[in-house]
Amino acid sequence: MAEEQHLRQMAEQLARIVEVSITLNSTLNLDELLQFITKTAAEILDCEAVSILLYDEKRAQLNFVASTGSDAQRLATIPVPLENSLAGQIFLDNTPMIISDMKSQKRHYSQVALQVGIEVHNLLGVPMRIKNRPTGVMEALNKRYGSFTEEDVDLLSILASQAAVAIHNARLVQALRQAYNELSATNQLKSNFLALASHELRTPLGIIIGYASFLEQESQGELSEHAKQVLNAAMQMRAVIDAMTNLNMLHSKEMVMHRVAVPIQNILHNALASIQKLADAKGHQVILNIPKTPLSIKCDPDKLTTAFVNILDNAVRFTPDGGTITITASLTPGGDMLVSISDTGIGIAPSHLKKIFDEFYQVEPHTTRKHGGLGIGLPIAKGLIEAHGGKIWAESEGPGKGSTFKILLPKLSTAALSAMSR
Ligand code: ADP
């Protein structure tokens, strides 16, 4: 009969342990977890109190992080030294300890019991380990009937190892959250700085551009040529500032779209006009293969033009002199708009086709600086196209075989379009 009761009790205890393990896996709030573990351990072992002490490496001491049955807040303020304390001995020996008669113990660190006013009669302590390295101690005090048994050692050891893993995971998550928050703050700082720097640079640059173009037009000969060079350099700087501003705008998630219906032909012509000089300077032939009938699209014309300028600018830069750039636009059978920009340039290896849309990614190491650029043209184009509900991808047969960038802009019903326009 006694045997049957013992078996039933064991089954109940094991069921509680399973319950603990399920709860531990379903919550990452460290305080909640610790409270739950100590409370359940006290119930399973049928004892007055259970505490968890964690090792503080910096101070080489154990600290109470959770406890039942006594003033947990008070306990948290009482450090336990490794020397001359039972918890310290359990931690240092990395083995469980049962003390059936507390009075016979000299080593008892009485400070703790004294301060929280608890009289300890018997005690069981087990080490908490991660990969067999002790990280703390779990203690059970004052078994209600009799003293702690080897069975209790096994039960508390299981709970202690579960607690150790749960604490480890919760701490990892905490560290990850903190790192994420710090990163977000740094990112915000970077965005603010970029916005401020762009703004501060734009005004003086506007003045330089204004006076340089005035000088270029009004003067002659060498002076006009020098003014032209100043103008070109200043325009390049403005393009860099514009790119930084665009990237910031994408990050800020505050991008406001001003949508109007315009023919895609207008957008492509405008984009082409921005890079025409550069294309001419490199002796490229640009073929525009777009239908005469206007293909209307509801978009933010400035933003979509910026996206196409970035792609065309790359096609010009990454194609050796005398190349061909072909722009086509058509409607798919489903009514979406497909624009394709092909070049006869240096091409892209398959392993880079996706990565080139990542911020600051450049196939050529930036140390060689053969083609220049910041590595943000394509991510900006992608962000702007996606803001229009579209998609962009790159195709290439490989290095030396040219590249094609395809942009798919979704067909939008009139109702959806009017709902989207602000
Ligand atoms: P950037 O052109 O300033 O380097 P982008 O984000 O516009 O930055 O492009 C990222 C990278 O993708 C480029 O550095 C280049 O390695 C590759 N790339 C982009 N367009 C082409 C192209 N038309 N042909 C070959 N490589 C290209």
Side-chain angles (χ1 to χ4, degrees):
M1 203 57 197
E3 177 80 353
E4 198 181 306
Q5 197 182 350
H6 180 64
L7 283 176
R8 197 174 300 133
Q9 191 188 358
M10 267 181 74
E12 268 171 29
Q13 287 170 332
L14 289 175
R16 295 296 305 274
I17 284 178
V18 173
E19 189 194 326
V20 172
S21 124
I22 292 169
T23 310
L24 290 192
N25 286 320
S26 62
T27 168
L28 281 169
N29 180 319
L30 191 54
D31 283 339
E32 252 175 52
L33 277 181
L34 298 177
Q35 289 309 324
F36 176 74
I37 295 168
T38 46
K39 187 170 159 278
T40 317
E43 284 165 17
I44 294 176
L45 297 186
D46 202 10
C47 64
E48 198 181 319
V50 170
S51 311
I52 291 178
L53 297 98
L54 289 184
Y55 181 57
D56 176 345
E57 254 174 61
K58 273 195 202 134
R59 298 192 176 88
Q61 67 188 27
L62 290 160
N63 295 321
F64 284 94
V65 291
S67 45
T68 64
S70 45
D71 190 342
Q73 275 176 346
R74 183 95 184 275
L75 273 178
T77 63
I78 309 170
V80 177
L82 291 188
E83 302 301 328
N84 297 324
S85 75
L86 290 172
Q89 193 186 338
I90 295 165
F91 180 84
L92 291 172
D93 295 350
N94 197 6
T95 33
M97 182 191 284
I98 297 179
I99 295 172
S100 305
D101 179 14
M102 206 62 188
K103 284 192 196 106
S104 65
Q105 276 297 318
K106 285 196 197 101
R107 202 191 262 272
H108 178 39
Y109 188 67
S110 57
Q111 273 299 93
V112 179
L114 266 174
Q115 288 193 43
V116 290
I118 183 170
E119 200 178 324
V120 185
H121 310 296
N122 51 33
L123 175 145
L124 162 62
V126 296
M128 294 170 68
R129 308 180 183 110
I130 291 283
K131 292 186 186 147
N132 208 30
R133 197 174 61 87
T135 56
V137 173
M138 207 163 163
E139 274 182 352
L141 303 182
N142 296 345
K143 179 106 179 153
R144 281 189 217 282
Y145 306 103
S147 52
F148 290 105
T149 62
E150 282 306 316
E151 230 165 61
D152 292 330
V153 173
D154 291 344
L155 288 172
L156 197 62
S157 296
I158 295 173
L159 286 165
S161 65
Q162 287 182 333
V165 172
I167 292 168
H168 186 65
N169 288 346
R171 280 183 165 176
L172 282 181
V173 170
Q174 247 170 19
L176 211 66
R177 274 202 195 120
Q178 194 183 340
Y180 176 79
N181 288 342
E182 280 166 13
L183 208 67
S184 301
T186 314
N187 217 15
Q188 188 58 44
L189 225 94
K190 184 196 79 185
S191 290
N192 293 349
F193 173 75
L194 272 181
L196 202 74
S198 308
H199 180 77
E200 290 297 311
L201 286 173
R202 206 179 289 277
T203 317
L205 208 54
I207 297 171
I208 294 172
I209 289 172
Y211 279 108
S213 60
F214 174 73
L215 252 178
E216 190 204 355
Q217 282 161 20
E218 294 299 310
S219 57
Q220 275 152 11
E222 212 176 324
L223 191 58
S224 171
E225 195 46 44
H226 288 167
K228 191 176 167 191
Q229 280 178 15
V230 172
L231 189 61
N232 284 346
M235 298 289 257
Q236 266 178 31
M237 273 174 80
R238 191 159 72 180
V240 170
I241 294 170
D242 284 347
M244 290 191 326
T245 310
N246 283 330
L247 191 69
N248 235 12
M249 176 181 68
L250 282 180
H251 284 171
S252 76
K253 296 193 174 85
E254 285 163 13
M255 190 162 51
V256 181
M257 302 283 272
H258 299 287
R259 292 179 197 252
V260 286
V262 278
I264 191 81
Q265 284 91 338
N266 292 14
I267 305 267
L268 292 173
H269 279 297
N270 285 342
L272 190 53
S274 299
I275 56 102
Q276 190 70 58
K277 263 194 190 164
L278 210 63
D280 291 345
K282 291 193 76 178
H284 291 329
Q285 189 193 3
V286 182
I287 302 170
L288 251 180
N289 208 345
I290 48 181
K292 288 225 158 45
T293 2
L295 298 177
S296 191
I297 177 158
K298 193 122 190 208
C299 65
D300 185 316
D302 288 345
K303 295 194 174 71
L304 203 55
T305 307
T306 301
F308 284 119
V309 169
N310 289 359
I311 300 160
L312 283 168
D313 182 69
N314 282 344
V316 171
R317 287 191 297 121
F318 293 103
T319 300
D321 291 3
T324 305
I325 293 159
T326 312
I327 307 168
T328 65
S330 58
L331 289 182
T332 65
D336 295 333
M337 181 90 66
L338 182 66
V339 180
S340 146
I341 297 171
S342 304
D343 62 55
T344 54
I346 62 168
I348 302 163
S351 59
H352 295 295
L353 283 174
K354 283 212 172 90
K355 291 189 196 148
I356 54 174
F357 293 97
D358 292 346
E359 274 172 31
F360 308 113
Y361 189 86
Q362 296 182 304
V363 173
E364 177 203 3
H366 65 86
T367 40
T368 61
R369 312 280 324 147
K370 203 162 129 210
H371 295 98
L374 291 174
I376 57 176
L378 285 181
I380 290 171
K382 182 170 182 268
L384 293 173
I385 286 160
E386 286 175 353
H388 283 86
K391 272 190 210 153
I392 175 170
W393 67 96
E395 295 174 358
S396 174
E397 301 268 302
K401 306 245 172 85
S403 316
T404 299
F405 285 79
K406 290 196 173 157
I407 298 96
L408 190 71
L409 294 159
K411 171 182 118 175
L412 298 170
S413 71
T414 331
L417 282 172
S418 53
M420 279 168 62
S421 57
R422 298 194 203 171

